[in-house]
Amino acid sequence: MAPTLTTTQLILKPGTAWSDAWDRCLAVAPEAFQDDRVRNLWAASWKSDGRAVPATSPVDGGPIAGPPRLDAETAQQAVRASLDAHRVWRDVPLSERKARVAATLDALTEHRELLALLLVWEIGKPWRLAQADVDRAIDGVRWYVDGVEPMLADRTPLAGPVSNIASWNYPMSVLIHAMLVQALAGNAVIAKAPTDGGVACLTLACALAVREGIPLTLVSGSGGELSEALVRAPEIGCVSFVGGRDTGARIATAVADLGKRHILEQEGLNTWGIWNFSDWSSLTAVIPKLFDYGKQRCTAYPRFVVQRSLFADFLAAYLPAVRSIRLGHPLAVEHPGDPLPELDFGPLINAAKAKELNDQVSEAISRGAVPLHQGALDEGLFLPGQDTSAYLPPVTLLNPPPSSPLHHAEPFGPVDTIVLVDTEAELLAAMNASNGALVATLSTDDPATYARLSPQIRAFKTGHGKPRSRGDRDELFGGFGHSWRGAFVGGELLVRAVTDGPPGERPPGNFPDYHLMP
């Protein structure tokens, strides 16, 4: 069934406007926010430098704070200052580092709702998912605070600070989480604010951490201009990157040439295989969850590889579920006292991305792909007259042509593609189309079939009829093939990746000269 539509005119929930969030930021951290812009953080102080770039919210196209871009020379100064801080911080006793990180987590908890509201406006996360992003950061780092001592036994901080270059989609549960664990392990930490969104949320989180004495640096700028400082500078002890394969490949070449420690999480086409399967109700139940945040996740499943003889049954299970997807303005309500809406996703990161995907869908159809489902924006929940250019309803295509990017690459949006196969060999070939992935799932009734086929799927994590995620706390994470380069992370491996162990140690990971699973 399609989502139930309201006939009442929607309003923006009082107290949730961007101006409300911004005023709260000015009150909570006046040192980090100035008038209508954020500041850069380096050399242990907030600075009104850099060229402020205009930005708009994907939610409604309205203006929000953009990243204040530094030039390359200033970024080099920031890196040198971070090295000075690193040399002091690495000698701070672990008990004190734990206390400071714990105090930071308490401050993040106090301002949880403001951080989540910033995520809604800056990157379009629905309220439930924005809160979850903040909570996963706090709970995940607290797990390390409580159990880090054995992870650091006989290990020392790196020779220089950790440099983080991350995508915009998980500012808290991926980036802030990693930064605080890196600091807990004894390193000063540098981060480049993502160009596409999240700078205000990151600024507030860093302001709360710096107040507790955590040695963080947060700078903005174009990747090309700052890469010399944030990737190649000799002061940097480790480069941690989350993003696309093209940028990741350039960074991988640079760090390999320099022999630098690195963690490079890159995209891959995560696939869900259907083979000799009959539990269709379980699949129907999980389909809407796979559309969380419009599939703008590194562990999203945009490709289904389906046994041809099961295609009719698959459609009967899949189509009702995808038709139930709810999208719209994350802060739109009927009445002021209503709770914020329960949405599967809101906008994509920007209007350009929505247009790019829409164009790819149209081109794929013109070249032979079969549209099985195309949602409509008029089924969404929107304010009267609001800009909806960054929104794209769910689309499902059968057999995208090999010439289409949708055939071989991750769309990073709410576009599913289905490929039909007749043999196990075809199934495996289609599931391994992108030469490595982060996650995969195989739905099959026979445990023996799963045990036989799953090791041949080139994904770091493979689920049996259930989706896999990046994981929390002690769950490890990495990738096969081109989806990952460098040290694996998660659990104790994250600590090992940003510390030095005994001479000759080979950390688990995917390196130019070896691949070592945990």
Side-chain angles (χ1 to χ4, degrees), residues 265-266 268 270 298-299 436-440 459-461 477-479 483-484:
E265 175 187 330
Q266 301 168 161
N270 305 317
C298 64
T299 54
L438 303 176
V439 297
F460 188 81
K461 297 179 181 180
F477 193 57
S483 68
W484 196 282

Side-chain angles (χ1 to χ4, degrees), residues 367-386:
R367 295 184 179 182
V370 179
L372 299 177
H373 174 75
Q374 289 184 283
L377 281 184
D378 59 13
E379 297 174 348
L381 304 175
F382 299 108
L383 300 179
Q386 80 159 83

Side-chain angles (χ1 to χ4, degrees), residues 342-362:
E342 282 286 336
L343 301 175
D344 295 293
F345 63 94
L348 301 191
I349 186 58
N350 51 48
K353 179 61 180 179
K355 182 181 184 304
E356 173 192 291
L357 266 184
N358 194 54
D359 289 346
Q360 288 179 2
V361 168
S362 297

Side-chain angles (χ1 to χ4, degrees), residues 217-230:
T217 295
L218 179 66
V219 295
S220 296
S222 70
E225 191 164 12
L226 301 193
S227 63
E228 191 68 26
L230 301 184

Side-chain angles (χ1 to χ4, degrees), residues 423-440:
T423 67
E424 290 184 355
E426 289 178 308
L427 173 81
L428 293 170
M431 293 190 71
N432 293 329
S434 67
N435 188 22
L438 303 176
V439 297

Side-chain angles (χ1 to χ4, degrees), residues 14 469 514:
S469 69
Y514 74 90

Side-chain angles (χ1 to χ4, degrees), residues 177-191:
H177 176 278
M179 292 169 67
L180 292 179
V181 175
Q182 292 160 5
L184 181 64
N187 303 292
V189 180
I190 304 170

